[in-house]
Amino acid sequence: MRLVLACVGRLKAGAERELVTRYVDRIRPAGRPLGLGPCDMIEIAESAARRAEDRMAEEATALLAAIPAGAGIVVLDPRGRHLSSEDFARRMAADRDGGLAALAFVIGGADGLGEEVRARASLMIAYGTATFPHQLVRVMLAEQIYRAVTILAGHPYHRA
C-alpha cells in the first residue's frame, strides 16, 4: 500500500525538512516486506484567496486532485480522534489488508481543511488540543507513520 503525505505549504530547507525526509526514507526499507510504502510527500501551494473559506476550498480542491485515485484518506484535524501509536498501526494494517492501494495522510493549511476533504476522510485524527505549527505536525506525522511500520514489523523502535 502506497503511503502519501499530502500537505498544504512547502517545508523550507532546515531541521523540519531533514526530519521528515529521515522518517520518509526509513519507511521504504522497513515497510517493503510488510507491503507498506513507499511514502511520498506531496506539497501544494497555500491559497492566496482573501477569505479563509475561499482559501480552504481552493486548498481542498488541490489536495483532492493530488491524492491518488481511490486512496483512503486520513486527515489531521483538531476535532479528530486521539489514537495510540498501536491503534494507528492497527488502522494502517487494516487498510492494507482490506486491499487499499494507497493511504493519504492530509495536513491542511493555516485555516484548516475544507469540508470536501474531511467528508472524504475515513478517519480524522488529532494530536491533542494544543495548536502546533504545521511544520512540526508534518514531522510528528512522518514519525508516527514510521513508528506504525516498525510496530507492525515487530521492530524494537517502539517501546510500549
Side-chain angles (χ1 to χ4, degrees), residues 67-153:
I67 294 170
I73 298 176
V74 175
V75 299
L76 275 75
D77 187 285
R79 294 165 283 188
R81 295 178 51 197
H82 299 211
L83 294 179
S84 69
S85 296
E86 294 87 352
D87 288 338
F88 184 78
R90 280 191 282 276
R91 288 294 302 247
M92 277 181 48
D95 286 338
R96 177 202 58 200
D97 297 346
L100 203 57
L103 184 59
F105 298 90
V106 181
I107 300 173
D111 299 304
L113 281 167
E115 185 54 40
E116 309 91 292
V117 178
R118 284 197 309 272
R120 292 246 335 255
S122 59
L123 177 64
M124 290 193 332
I125 59 174
Y127 288 145
T129 56
T131 301
F132 296 102
H134 285 73
Q135 300 90 333
L136 291 181
V137 171
R138 199 176 309 187
V139 171
M140 294 186 317
L141 177 58
E143 192 280 338
Q144 279 300 291
I145 295 169
Y146 174 67
R147 182 176 296 274
V149 168
T150 63
I151 288 169
L152 295 172

Side-chain angles (χ1 to χ4, degrees), residues 1-59:
M1 178 174 70
R2 179 178 169 203
L3 304 171
V4 176
L5 271 71
C7 310
V8 174
R10 299 196 188 333
L11 281 180
K12 295 180 178 128
E16 294 91 352
R17 179 166 282 287
E18 290 173 18
L19 280 170
V20 170
T21 300
R22 179 184 308 164
Y23 289 119
V24 166
D25 288 349
R26 287 180 179 180
I27 290 167
R28 184 178 308 268
R32 184 177 297 124
L34 304 170
L36 294 170
C39 185
D40 301 312
M41 188 166 47
I42 298 170
E43 297 176 314
I44 65 149
E46 296 176 44
S47 169
R50 289 180 165 250
R51 294 177 346 117
E53 296 82 13
D54 296 336
R55 285 191 298 273
M56 289 189 301
E58 286 180 12
E59 292 166 355

